Amino acid sequence: MSVKSEGYSRIDSLSKSKRAPSEFQEDRRSVYWVDRLPPTPQREGKTTEFVTSSRLEALSQPRRAIYYKGDRPGPIWPVRQSAMQAGCSARLEQLGQPKTLNNQYYFDRTAYMMVTRGAQSAEPSTRLQQLSQPLPRKQVQEYKESEWGQTFPVSDNTKKATASARVEQLAEAKGYNKFFRDEKPIQWNVPVGALKATANLRLQQMSRPRSRTMIKDDFDPYKVSLAARRVHATPRVEELCVPVPRKVRSKKV
């Protein structure tokens, strides 16, 4: 419900934008935005006019490129007529020839090849058949080959040799000590005497838990008894307490 008074309504008042205060200043669009231009030299004498020498003005000029050449306008450029009709010398033609292959060079052989008729009908020689035979087992055991192609045959006397009594004694395995005992098995039989054993009176007395009446609330484990205070050491203990003479040093006065 709108209230009208003299041609002005409440809705019209609320629809208007909020006015900015008089002291409001709008933010700059950039840090380089200036409110006014910087002062320039004037003839009226309002600002100071700086005068530089001719040498300083020459040094302030940008450096000129002497041998600079700009980029080509494109990858295609016109070729001169003289360059099109130019002829090369004999030496240049010789250097322009591709490098030839060696006379003894052979190209890679293909995986597919034709076997000649002579190779198909060839028969191996007697020596080749002899070398292709496997080495007998007896012959392998007779020779000890330390390196490739070096064999050391075993003589017949060595094969028939008999070890002496001392060598046989040294070859025997070392025996166990007479007090050696094997590991005890995890499970063993308990003897009948241990099963029927009865604890003596002293053992039963020590295994009995301490009664409640013997527990003292004011027991001090660090308290030394009177009997322990009055004990005197024996002559042997006093002798052992004396330091070694060679380790005793006399005090320097």
Side-chain angles (χ1 to χ4, degrees), residues 113-223:
M113 64 188 72
M114 299 297 296
V115 183
T116 60
R117 181 64 62 179
Q120 294 178 3
S121 59
E123 295 182 0
S125 60
T126 307
R127 177 59 178 167
L128 189 60
Q129 293 180 1
Q130 180 183 358
L131 294 175
S132 63
Q133 295 296 329
L135 196 64
R137 187 175 182 83
K138 181 179 179 181
Q139 189 176 358
V140 173
Q141 295 179 353
E142 289 180 355
Y143 295 94
K144 182 180 179 182
E145 187 174 357
S146 60
E147 296 181 4
W148 183 266
Q150 296 183 4
T151 57
F152 301 93
V154 183
S155 61
D156 296 337
N157 297 333
T158 305
K159 297 178 182 179
K160 299 177 182 179
T162 305
S164 61
R166 178 58 178 168
V167 174
E168 292 181 354
Q169 181 183 0
L170 294 175
E172 293 180 358
K174 188 176 181 180
Y176 294 104
N177 192 288
K178 60 180 180 179
F179 299 105
F180 174 77
R181 294 184 180 180
D182 294 330
E183 296 179 357
K184 194 173 183 180
I186 300 176
Q187 297 179 357
W188 64 88
N189 298 326
V190 182
V192 181
L195 295 174
K196 298 181 179 180
T198 305
N200 54 17
L201 182 62
R202 178 58 179 167
L203 188 60
Q204 294 179 6
Q205 182 180 0
M206 295 180 65
S207 62
R208 185 182 304 170
R210 194 173 184 181
S211 61
R212 190 72 180 175
T213 56
M214 298 178 63
I215 299 176
K216 297 181 181 180
D217 297 336
D218 57 346
F219 175 73
D220 187 6
Y222 301 100
K223 184 178 180 180

Side-chain angles (χ1 to χ4, degrees), residues 233-245 248:
T234 60
R236 178 57 179 167
V237 174
E238 293 180 354
E239 181 183 356
L240 294 174
C241 293
V242 177
V244 183
V248 177

Side-chain angles (χ1 to χ4, degrees), residues 76-117:
I76 302 175
W77 63 91
V79 183
R80 294 178 298 177
Q81 193 68 24
S82 58
M84 295 181 182
Q85 299 176 358
C88 56
S89 61
R91 177 59 178 169
L92 190 59
E93 291 181 356
Q94 180 183 359
L95 295 175
Q97 295 296 329
K99 188 176 181 180
T100 58
L101 300 176
N102 194 292
N103 298 331
Q104 300 179 356
Y105 176 79
Y106 291 96
F107 290 96
D108 296 338
R109 191 167 56 176
T110 59
Y112 303 96
M113 64 188 72
M114 299 297 296
V115 183
T116 60
R117 181 64 62 179

Side-chain angles (χ1 to χ4, degrees), residues 3-31:
V3 180
K4 295 183 179 180
S5 59
E6 299 179 358
Y8 183 78
S9 62
R10 176 62 175 168
I11 297 299
D12 297 337
S13 176
L14 295 174
S15 62
K16 291 183 179 181
S17 58
K18 188 176 181 180
R19 296 181 181 180
S22 58
E23 63 274 4
F24 173 76
Q25 295 182 0
E26 187 178 359
D27 296 337
R28 293 182 178 181
R29 299 182 181 179
S30 174
V31 294

